[in-house]
Amino acid sequence: EVTVNYRHGLPVITLTLPTRSERCRFTVKPMVTTVGAFLQDVQREDKGIEKAEVFATDGSKVSDATLMEVLLMSDFKLVINNTGYSVSPPPKDKLSSEHATEMEDIKSLIHRLFVALHLEDHQIRKERELLQKLDHLKEELLPLEQMKARITDSADAKTSRLLWVGLALMSTQGGALAWLTWWVYSWDIMEPVTYFITYGSAMAFYAYFVLTKQDYIYPDAKDRQFLHYFYGKSKNQHFNVERYNKLKEDLAEAEESLRRLRQPLHLRLPIQEIDDKD
């Protein structure tokens, strides 16, 4: 009751409409029409069709996105209103190798023309999506940036105060040693004291290396103390550092994608693809 014939190179599927009890022909374009589109055409022709599906010979359902060209390569089963029809498409004449090559070239040319005609629309739609994503990320980052700025200023102020306190203590120590050396005691008495003070400082620097696995370099020590104050303040004010870093990474990726999207086409394509288009 369901037959498939080829006319002018296009498959023609003839079936009997269940409600109207009359034969109807459906000409499909195998490289464009999908199974879902074909079934919609059948249901549109006969309003009494409530359900239409296509199954393979092993009983598995064929997806609506499958092209008719793939479906017509083998036998299948058409189910209309719980009534099944076995369909056996006729074997299609094999093309010669030269004709097949020409057909592949035509398909490739059509694909390139389609891409060229719809590239601008796709680019505009993609750019609009990226701009919306950027606006959303910036809205989420704005309060976090303000909170981070306040925490950074506080941590930087504490780190600077600590450095000045260290300078003041070293100056006080130097003045006390000078006063004890020249006004209270002599150098012979103070020399062992300064030796042990120097040795104690060396032990303190070695203990810093043991704990941090880093040399005591002033810029690195300052940055380490700054991070200590920063994370402590962030925890007190419930500032989510991981979420902030994730949003910053997403923002950078979106900006990079938008920058590449706005580049000329020949700058975005690989060299081999440019050669193929040429």
Side-chain angles (χ1 to χ4, degrees), residues 254-269:
E255 291 177 346
E256 177 64 18
S257 300
L258 183 61
R259 184 187 65 81
R260 291 180 58 85
L261 185 65
R262 289 176 173 175
Q263 284 182 348
L265 180 61
H266 68 278
L267 296 178
R268 300 200 307 266
L269 294 176

Side-chain angles (χ1 to χ4, degrees), residues 163-177 201 205 216 218:
L163 294 177
W164 284 105
V165 169
L167 178 61
L169 291 176
M170 292 180 65
S171 301
T172 303
Q173 183 188 45
L177 292 176
S201 301
F205 294 150
Y216 189 82
Y218 291 120

Side-chain angles (χ1 to χ4, degrees), residues 5-12 27-30:
N5 297 313
Y6 282 90
R7 293 189 178 183
H8 307 290
L10 295 177
V12 180
T27 303
V28 297
K29 300 176 181 179

Side-chain angles (χ1 to χ4, degrees), residues 221-263:
K222 175 181 177 296
D223 294 339
R224 184 180 183 84
Q225 193 62 37
F226 170 81
L227 292 176
H228 174 72
Y229 286 139
F230 179 85
Y231 280 97
K233 193 75 172 178
S234 300
K235 185 176 181 180
N236 293 334
Q237 296 191 6
H238 305 287
F239 177 74
N240 194 335
V241 180
E242 294 181 357
R243 180 169 177 268
Y244 173 80
N245 292 334
K246 181 64 170 58
L247 290 175
K248 291 290 287 185
E249 292 176 359
D250 294 343
L251 181 64
E253 291 178 0
E255 291 177 346
E256 177 64 18
S257 300
L258 183 61
R259 184 187 65 81
R260 291 180 58 85
L261 185 65
R262 289 176 173 175
Q263 284 182 348

Side-chain angles (χ1 to χ4, degrees), residues 147-166:
M147 186 180 296
K148 176 180 175 292
R150 292 194 299 268
I151 296 175
T152 300
D153 293 340
S154 177
D156 189 63
K158 286 185 177 181
T159 305
S160 299
R161 283 198 299 269
L162 182 63
L163 294 177
W164 284 105
V165 169

Side-chain angles (χ1 to χ4, degrees), residues 191-209:
E191 184 178 7
V193 176
T194 56
Y195 170 78
F196 283 109
I197 291 176
T198 305
Y199 185 76
S201 301
M203 290 181 60
F205 294 150
Y206 184 74
Y208 178 87
F209 171 77

